[in-house]
Amino acid sequence: LQHVSPAYPPLARSIGAQGVVIIEATIDARGEVVAARVLRSVPMLDEAALDAVRQWRYAPARLNGEAVAVLVTVTVQ
């Protein structure tokens, strides 16, 4: 429902750092990210990726018609 792009850290931009950060996120029954942790790191980009993912919003997952929390893996470039 809401996707926020990460802000490219100025130091990382100045040295040309790039890559993929893989994050495991817990989405609650309201579709909000309540926890996130880095599974695959690009040290200069991790915090920006986490900050962005924590702002994302999802449609609630449903099990037997009821909203439930889920664990997802997301890739941030």
Side-chain angles (χ1 to χ4, degrees), residues 9-71:
L11 180 58
R13 181 184 307 255
S14 71
I15 66 168
Q18 59 183 340
V20 173
V21 178
I22 299 177
I23 296 174
E24 180 181 81
T26 302
I27 313 303
D28 70 9
R30 295 171 303 181
E32 296 180 6
V33 177
V34 293
R37 70 183 185 106
V38 174
L39 297 178
R40 179 175 167 197
S41 178
V42 177
M44 297 187 91
L45 305 176
D46 291 352
E47 203 55 44
L50 283 168
D51 288 344
V53 169
R54 288 179 181 129
Q55 296 177 64
W56 292 5
R57 299 293 175 261
Y58 293 83
R62 298 204 173 270
L63 179 64
N64 297 324
E66 291 194 34
V68 295
V70 293
L71 190 64

